[in-house]
């Protein structure tokens, strides 16, 4: 009985640690581009490991810059975002940077660190 409780306790701790380590979800409302804040859009591809790593870096940058920037994702293979990807000729694992008026000023492929994201977003003033 004690062994079973101990095993369930370890499993519960493992599950809680796993859930806690997941990156916070990023918004996918691309209509926020050009709303008076800079925006970074990540072309998220579920089939690429770098996609999860990049969202972690974006969340780290978000923790530093807060709500002064729109952190958005556009998932490949979704009809709602296919037009966006097509219009900007974006590729999987690419980040697109937009100014406050919605004009794209830079694009980079992942993996872009939180520090680099902060520099890019602060430099185009």
């Amino acid at each position: 009985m004690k062994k079973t409780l101990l095993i369930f306790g370890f499993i519960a701790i493992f599950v809680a640690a796993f859930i806690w380590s997941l990156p916070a979800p990023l918004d996918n409302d691309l209509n926020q581009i050009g709303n008076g804040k800079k925006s970074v859009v990540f072309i998220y591809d579920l089939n690429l490991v770098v996609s999860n790593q990049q969202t972690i870096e974006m969340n780290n940058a978000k923790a530093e810059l807060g709500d002064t920037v729109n952190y958005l994702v556009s998932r490949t293979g979704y009809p709602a975002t296919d037009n966006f990807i097509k219009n900007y000729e974006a590729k999987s694992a690419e980040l697109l940077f937009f100014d406050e008026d919605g004009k794209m000023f830079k694009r980079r492929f992942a993996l872009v660190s939180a520090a680099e994201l902060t520099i890019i977003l602060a430099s185009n003033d």
Side-chain angles (χ1 to χ4, degrees):
M1 178 71 171
K2 289 181 182 179
K3 238 183 193 182
T4 305
L5 288 175
L6 189 60
I7 291 171
F8 281 123
F10 281 126
I11 291 172
I13 291 171
F14 176 75
V15 169
F18 175 75
I19 291 171
W20 180 75
S21 70
L22 290 174
L26 296 169
D27 202 342
N28 63 0
D29 181 9
L30 300 175
N31 291 322
Q32 293 183 43
I33 298 170
N35 70 348
K37 294 193 232 178
K38 291 181 182 177
S39 300
V40 57
V41 180
F42 176 56
I43 309 302
Y44 188 96
D45 188 335
L46 186 62
N47 298 314
L48 298 176
V49 173
V50 74
S51 290
N52 189 45
Q53 295 168 331
Q54 186 61 62
T55 58
I56 291 169
E57 292 300 322
M58 289 175 72
N59 278 314
N60 291 340
K62 186 176 184 178
E64 187 169 329
L65 293 175
D67 291 333
T68 60
V69 175
N70 297 315
Y71 298 91
L72 308 169
V73 291
S74 178
R75 290 176 172 82
T76 59
Y78 284 78
T81 58
D82 283 345
N83 284 338
F84 176 85
I85 292 170
K86 183 179 175 184
N87 288 344
Y88 287 97
E89 298 177 359
K91 308 284 187 246
S92 292
E94 190 170 21
L95 291 104
L96 308 176
F97 297 87
F98 295 87
D99 66 13
E100 295 84 351
D101 298 321
K103 182 180 177 199
M104 188 173 64
F105 66 87
K106 190 173 197 74
R107 57 192 328 146
R108 296 270 312 266
F109 279 101
L111 185 68
V112 178
S113 71
E116 288 178 272
L117 285 169
T118 303
I119 290 168
I120 292 168
L121 292 165
S123 68
N124 190 40
D125 290 327

